[in-house]
Amino acid sequence: MKIGILGTGMVAQSLAPKLVELGHDVLLGTRDVKESLARTGTNGWGHPEFGDWHKQNSHIKVGTFADAAVHGELVMNACSGHGSLPALKAAGANNLNGKILVDISNPLDFSNGFPPSLFVGNTDSLGEQIQREYPSVKVVKTLNTVNAMLMTNPNMLGGGDHTIFVSGNDAQAKEAVIDFLKSQFGWRDVIDFGDITNARATESYLHLWIRMFGQFQNPMVTIKVLK
Amino acid sequence: MKIGILGTGMVAQSLAPKLVELGHDVLLGTRDVKESLARTGTNGWGHPEFGDWHKQNSHIKVGTFADAAVHGELVMNACSGHGSLPALKAAGANNLNGKILVDISNPLDFSNGFPPSLFVGNTDSLGEQIQREYPSVKVVKTLNTVNAMLMTNPNMLGGGDHTIFVSGNDAQAKEAVIDFLKSQFGWRDVIDFGDITNARATESYLHLWIRMFGQFQNPMVTIKVLK
């Protein structure tokens, strides 16, 4: 499948090689290709900057946000919270309309340090903001509750016996994403978590996740829902 | 142990009989004893109102909020979010100072229906508001992430193999509460979750919990942390 990924950070760097390995035709989109490829060193999380990463992953196609949106039959938003709406604007509504947008972003606000707060929440969510801004895009919120490594490899923790949530307004799009998570990444415990307003819940969960990450000094932490 | 419980709702009705059964000397506190005992029928959650409940549980001592605070070596806040600060005010700082207050409340705002939003969150929490208002009380936030039945009987779900979080500024108080949860209620996976600011995380988790409750039509839902 042709997949466009918006973003060049940790999430995109986890998704892209895995999807290529699975046989998909992937294009990573960024704001400024030249500038992104020129970034070297490690970021604040100790992760390689995009330029260095791409030297080790030169088989991954890179283009603009619009290139990625045009390319993808399926588009994935792997941008930061603050970067998401600007990236989608650059991608272009006309290039996104009618498509499924898997939204993995979280509205994290690090302006007061760690742990971050959320810049939208409680009675709204970033997933909903994106859906409102792009009413003809089928926004499906998922994967935002786990570390980038775990998104594509749930079996890395607890034998894969943990939970992922999927929310969105379009039932068919949601079903397609659920199938994708199961068949491509091996997710087993996938909860169809209602319409996009439920992104409020999974984004708010970041308050808990980020503190577990901080206190355990371990990003490989997640939850299994018991009922 | 002498335990004072603030509140007469579902949480108090779950805690009190269990604690008495365990041999503790319990006093339930309410704003107006006569009025509380006069309440009959079922509430909006299909749960018996306090008067009817107490007819079946007449061995449970009932008094004012202040009576409960005076009585308890340990005090538990089982009030609603909106009811918590008024209850503590009625209980009286002088009756609470120096004691451990187990805070189980959640700042749920049902004014726009179900699912509720939170009336405090993101950069603050009800646990923190209580701690700020009562600096000489040792506030320990816990049990607020699970259904009232599960609080005292974790083994009712998944063989008890799920997680509870404990946050508070006083290390000894927190340790005492962790021991209490383990020895009295049988909790096994208890996470010492740092200082009281982490109540932001467990209270925010209610966004997720309440939607799982609503969508599964089942309050017996919780999480196990995997790391």
Side-chain angles (χ1 to χ4, degrees):
Chain A
M1 182 187 261
K2 286 176 173 239
I3 300 177
I5 299 176
L6 309 179
T8 55
M10 275 185 287
V11 174
Q13 291 177 23
S14 173
L15 287 170
K18 176 73 175 192
L19 290 168
V20 169
E21 183 191 316
L22 289 166
H24 298 287
D25 178 5
V26 174
L27 196 153
L28 271 188
T30 185
R31 190 179 51 81
D32 180 331
V33 176
K34 218 170 153 184
E35 189 274 333
S36 291
L37 289 171
R39 268 187 264 137
T40 56
T42 53
N43 68 11
W45 302 83
H47 204 80
E49 290 282 8
F50 187 70
D52 281 347
W53 177 85
H54 194 258
K55 279 180 200 127
Q56 309 298 321
N57 293 272
S58 53
H59 62 297
I60 310 284
K61 289 189 269 189
V62 183
T64 63
F65 287 130
D67 292 335
V70 169
H71 175 82
E73 300 163 82
L74 174 74
V75 181
M76 304 179 104
N77 175 29
C79 291
S80 69
H82 284 297
S84 291
L85 285 169
L88 289 164
K89 192 173 179 188
N94 287 343
N95 300 324
L96 293 166
N97 283 345
K99 295 180 181 176
I100 295 173
L101 176 70
V102 174
D103 175 32
I104 312 175
S105 64
N106 279 305
L108 300 176
D109 175 1
F110 286 95
S111 61
N112 290 306
F114 190 94
S117 57
L118 302 185
F119 63 78
V120 56
N122 199 27
T123 57
D124 198 4
S125 63
L126 186 52
E128 289 167 272
Q129 288 186 335
I130 292 171
Q131 184 62 84
R132 281 198 304 272
E133 192 77 13
Y134 298 92
S136 299
V137 174
K138 298 163 186 168
V139 178
V140 179
K141 187 100 202 181
T142 190
L143 295 178
N144 62 308
T145 56
V146 295
N147 167 264
M149 303 282 282
L150 214 50
M151 291 177 189
T152 58
N153 295 291
N155 286 330
M156 285 177 79
L157 185 60
D161 188 22
H162 47 85
T163 306
I164 203 80
F165 302 87
V166 181
S167 300
N169 294 344
D170 186 292
Q172 279 188 310
K174 198 164 49 174
E175 201 46 57
V177 171
I178 291 172
D179 286 347
F180 190 90
L181 294 176
K182 289 181 176 176
S183 65
Q184 303 302 292
F185 299 152
W187 282 96
R188 299 199 307 271
D189 184 16
V190 184
I191 292 183
D192 178 340
F193 205 47
D195 68 26
I196 195 68
T197 64
N198 294 291
R200 293 175 206 177
T202 58
E203 293 177 12
S204 289
Y205 164 75
L206 266 283
H207 284 296
L208 186 61
W209 187 83
I210 206 111
R211 282 173 173 83
M212 292 197 287
F213 162 54
Q215 292 189 29
F216 307 153
Q217 292 288 300
N218 176 11
M220 291 299 264
V221 54
T222 193
I223 55 173
K224 164 77 180 172
V225 170
L226 279 78
K227 57 185 165 102
Chain B
M1 180 187 263
K2 285 177 173 238
I3 300 177
I5 299 177
L6 309 179
T8 56
M10 276 185 287
V11 174
Q13 292 177 23
S14 172
L15 287 171
K18 176 73 175 191
L19 289 168
V20 169
E21 185 191 316
L22 289 167
H24 298 287
D25 179 4
V26 174
L27 197 154
L28 271 188
T30 185
R31 188 179 51 81
D32 180 330
V33 176
K34 218 170 153 184
E35 190 272 335
S36 291
L37 289 171
R39 270 187 263 137
T40 56
T42 52
N43 68 11
W45 301 83
H47 204 81
E49 290 281 8
F50 187 70
D52 282 347
W53 178 84
H54 194 257
K55 280 181 199 126
Q56 309 299 320
N57 293 272
S58 53
H59 63 297
I60 310 285
K61 289 189 267 189
V62 183
T64 63
F65 287 131
D67 292 336
V70 169
H71 175 82
E73 300 162 81
L74 174 74
V75 181
M76 302 178 104
N77 175 30
C79 290
S80 69
H82 284 297
S84 292
L85 284 169
L88 289 164
K89 191 172 181 189
N94 287 343
N95 300 326
L96 293 166
N97 282 345
K99 294 180 180 175
I100 295 173
L101 176 71
V102 174
D103 175 33
I104 312 174
S105 65
N106 279 306
L108 299 177
D109 175 1
F110 286 96
S111 61
N112 288 306
F114 189 94
S117 57
L118 304 185
F119 62 78
V120 56
N122 198 28
T123 56
D124 197 5
S125 63
L126 186 52
E128 288 167 272
Q129 288 185 335
I130 292 170
Q131 183 62 84
R132 281 199 302 272
E133 192 76 13
Y134 298 92
S136 300
V137 174
K138 297 162 186 169
V139 178
V140 179
K141 187 99 202 180
T142 191
L143 295 178
N144 62 308
T145 56
V146 294
N147 167 264
M149 303 280 283
L150 214 50
M151 290 176 191
T152 57
N153 295 291
N155 287 330
M156 286 177 77
L157 186 60
D161 188 21
H162 47 85
T163 306
I164 203 79
F165 302 86
V166 181
S167 300
N169 294 344
D170 187 292
Q172 278 189 311
K174 199 164 48 172
E175 202 47 55
V177 171
I178 291 171
D179 285 347
F180 191 90
L181 293 176
K182 289 181 176 176
S183 65
Q184 303 301 292
F185 298 152
W187 282 95
R188 299 200 307 271
D189 183 16
V190 184
I191 292 184
D192 178 340
F193 205 46
D195 68 27
I196 195 67
T197 64
N198 295 292
R200 292 177 206 178
T202 59
E203 293 176 12
S204 289
Y205 165 76
L206 265 285
H207 283 296
L208 186 61
W209 186 85
I210 206 111
R211 282 174 173 82
M212 292 197 287
F213 163 54
Q215 293 189 29
F216 306 152
Q217 292 288 301
N218 176 11
M220 291 299 265
V221 54
T222 194
I223 55 172
K224 163 76 180 173
V225 170
L226 279 79
K227 56 184 164 104

